[in-house]
Amino acid sequence: MHKFKSGMNTVLSYLTAFMLIVMTILVIWQVFTRYVLNNPSAFTEELVRIILIWSSFFGAAYAFGTRQHMALVFFKEKTAGLKRKFIYVFIDVVILCFAILVLIRGGYQLASGVMTIKTPILGISRGLIYMIAPFSGIIISIYQLMNIKEDVEMAG
């Protein structure tokens, strides 16, 4: 399980980094075409927005996989033993419920509701863009199941 989680972390970190590099190149191209060529590139703004959405969701999934997400550290560090294990499991179960109900279920409903609407410049289905929500929800759910297993196995 540790190898699988490590592999997922590696893939997500490289994928997110690649998307940020592409986004940076596109923004530089947009600035160049706007201010040097006086003919702004039409597609870059829309494409950067799409990449920003996707890289944010992939980055969030990565944060849950590496346990670097926001947390109330005070409660986690001030407890020990069975209380600490309970807090860890409780937090991970709440995150799992959020991922399933909001990201997977709600994200799928949102994406399927706008599948026929196209973006103005690139003509990409908004539903395909928004499918990152349920996709990242699945990734986060997998991470959370692994995290819960680690929490339960945690030494007192």
Side-chain angles (χ1 to χ4, degrees):
M1 181 178 74
H2 179 70
K3 249 182 163 176
F4 180 70
K5 188 175 182 180
S6 178
M8 284 178 58
N9 288 342
T10 301
V11 169
L12 282 175
S13 66
Y14 280 113
L15 182 62
T16 305
F18 175 75
M19 293 175 104
L20 292 173
I21 290 168
V22 170
M23 195 167 48
T24 302
I25 291 168
L26 288 171
V27 168
I28 291 169
W29 177 253
Q30 173 70 16
V31 170
F32 176 76
T33 58
R34 179 180 302 263
Y35 294 108
V36 176
L37 303 178
N38 289 325
N39 185 15
S41 175
F43 76 95
T44 53
E45 184 177 340
E46 193 170 283
L47 188 55
V48 166
R49 187 178 305 123
I50 294 167
I51 294 171
L52 178 62
I53 293 167
W54 277 65
S55 64
S56 298
F57 276 94
F58 280 135
Y62 176 76
F64 286 108
T66 58
R67 294 187 181 249
Q68 295 179 350
H69 53 80
M70 291 188 334
L72 297 173
V73 179
F74 174 76
F75 290 115
K76 291 167 78 171
E77 291 181 352
K78 295 294 180 187
T79 59
L82 194 56
K83 261 188 188 177
R84 179 180 220 150
K85 187 183 286 195
F86 175 78
I87 289 173
Y88 273 66
V89 170
F90 176 76
I91 290 169
D92 286 336
V93 167
V94 169
I95 293 168
L96 178 63
C97 290
F98 174 82
I100 292 169
L101 295 174
V102 176
L103 293 175
I104 297 174
R105 186 170 177 250
Y108 179 77
Q109 289 173 344
L110 173 68
S112 60
V114 296
M115 199 58 82
T116 59
I117 301 172
K118 306 281 187 201
T119 59
I121 296 171
L122 297 174
I124 298 171
S125 167
R126 288 195 187 273
L128 292 178
I129 296 168
Y130 295 160
M131 281 305 283
I132 187 59
F135 185 66
S136 70
I138 292 168
I139 295 170
I140 291 170
S141 296
I142 292 168
Y143 273 132
Q144 289 311 112
L145 291 171
M146 288 188 279
N147 289 344
I148 291 168
K149 184 179 184 306
E150 289 173 5
D151 294 343
V152 170
E153 294 172 351
M154 173 187 350

